Amino acid sequence: DADVTQTPRNRITKTGKRIMLECSQTKGHDRMYWYRQDPGLGLRLIYYSFDVKDINKGEISDGYSVSRQAQAKFSLSLESAIPNQTALYFCATSDPRRNTGELFFGEGSRLTVL
Amino acid sequence: EDQVTQSPEALRLQEGESSSLNCSYTVSGLRGLFWYRQDPGKGPEFLFTLYSAGEEKEKERLKATLTKKESFLHITAPKPEDSATYLCAVRLSGNTGKLIFGQGTTLQVKP
């Protein structure tokens, strides 16, 4: 089983719908991240969380919200999806005790907003 | 503004034809430079971390080097299984743990 699991892997939805992408991890890491990947733009940080009580905005948080339900779970919500939120979304974790900054990524959730 | 730029965007090589990928960065304070490999439909997979100018890391046919302004990922005698997108990222000073990614170089190695 994957250490960082994302659901759903693929989702097609319509403009205005509410969407939730979920991430769970078995690595025991405190830090979790949501990134978005678009062709030619690389990975951009949406939100990150250092523990259950700590949530921080990344560089492109507008239109998104997150919830850290437990150390192992971090979900990303689009309250009212729009077509330019069509992208590949990645959840990632890191272990601050290692102090290497290495991120461990999930397999990605491909979202299409029509 | 902190920025990471990778070149070329795409690279086609024949099997055995060595080459290099470039990652240039302008950041306020570097706390590490990372290389990741990403296969189609998969999440990025960690390859290397470099911390200071002059540092080098190797793994099979890959060698990463770092200067004060850029990093190179050298691929020696590549094989078709090296085909992937290679991502560069920098970690900024401070304790946020955030990484800023470049847009990636897509490598195709033909047999």
Side-chain angles (χ1 to χ4, degrees):
Chain A
D1 288 340
D3 293 324
V4 183
T5 304
Q6 293 183 229
T7 56
R9 293 293 314 280
N10 287 283
R11 182 72 183 268
I12 299 173
T13 191
K14 293 182 179 179
T15 297
K17 294 291 187 181
R18 184 178 188 273
I19 293 294
M20 180 181 285
L21 306 180
E22 297 184 331
C23 177
S24 63
Q25 53 116 344
T26 57
K27 300 190 75 67
H29 292 169
D30 287 329
R31 296 184 175 183
M32 297 187 74
Y33 308 80
W34 276 104
Y35 280 90
R36 158 179 182 157
Q37 187 174 41
D38 297 276
L41 293 179
L43 285 154
R44 292 179 293 166
L45 183 62
I46 306 172
Y47 271 96
Y48 62 103
S49 169
F50 283 179
D51 63 42
V52 175
K53 296 181 180 179
D54 178 76
I55 303 287
N56 303 280
K57 292 183 178 180
E59 55 185 306
I60 54 162
S61 58
D62 288 347
Y64 301 95
S65 62
V66 291
S67 174
R68 184 81 183 267
Q69 300 94 327
Q71 186 211 36
K73 295 184 183 294
F74 192 36
S75 59
L76 176 71
S77 293
L78 289 68
E79 296 301 325
S80 179
I82 56 177
N84 76 0
Q85 291 177 313
T86 293
L88 185 56
Y89 291 85
F90 286 102
C91 175
T93 72
S94 70
D95 182 358
R97 294 168 296 179
R98 291 167 57 100
N99 201 31
T100 59
E102 177 187 348
L103 295 179
F104 297 86
F105 286 87
E107 299 274 87
S109 295
R110 184 169 295 281
L111 177 65
T112 302
V113 183
L114 302 176
Chain B
E1 182 185 354
D2 299 316
Q3 198 166 3
V4 179
T5 303
Q6 291 187 245
S7 61
E9 272 190 38
L11 182 62
R12 284 185 177 182
L13 300 173
Q14 289 295 130
E15 185 171 2
E17 180 187 2
S18 300
S19 188
S20 296
L21 282 55
N22 177 263
C23 172
S24 63
Y25 59 90
T26 52
V27 297
S28 50
L30 181 71
R31 202 177 166 195
L33 185 139
F34 300 77
W35 282 99
Y36 286 82
R37 170 188 171 130
Q38 185 176 20
D39 292 299
K42 302 282 189 179
E45 183 180 335
F46 172 77
L47 291 173
F48 305 109
T49 309
L50 303 166
Y51 292 103
S52 56
E55 189 174 358
E56 298 181 353
K57 293 270 179 77
E58 285 190 67
K59 181 179 180 180
E60 295 180 355
R61 295 175 292 282
L62 301 176
K63 183 168 89 172
T65 61
L66 182 65
T67 72
K68 288 187 177 179
K69 293 184 178 181
E70 58 192 347
S71 176
F72 292 94
L73 185 65
H74 306 279
I75 304 176
T76 302
K79 298 182 178 181
E81 53 262 41
D82 294 321
S83 297
T85 296
Y86 291 85
L87 303 172
C88 166
V90 297
R91 184 184 183 194
L92 304 181
S93 298
N95 196 30
T96 64
K98 294 186 296 181
L99 299 184
I100 298 176
F101 283 83
Q103 74 275 34
T105 293
T106 299
L107 172 66
Q108 183 180 27
V109 181
K110 293 191 170 185

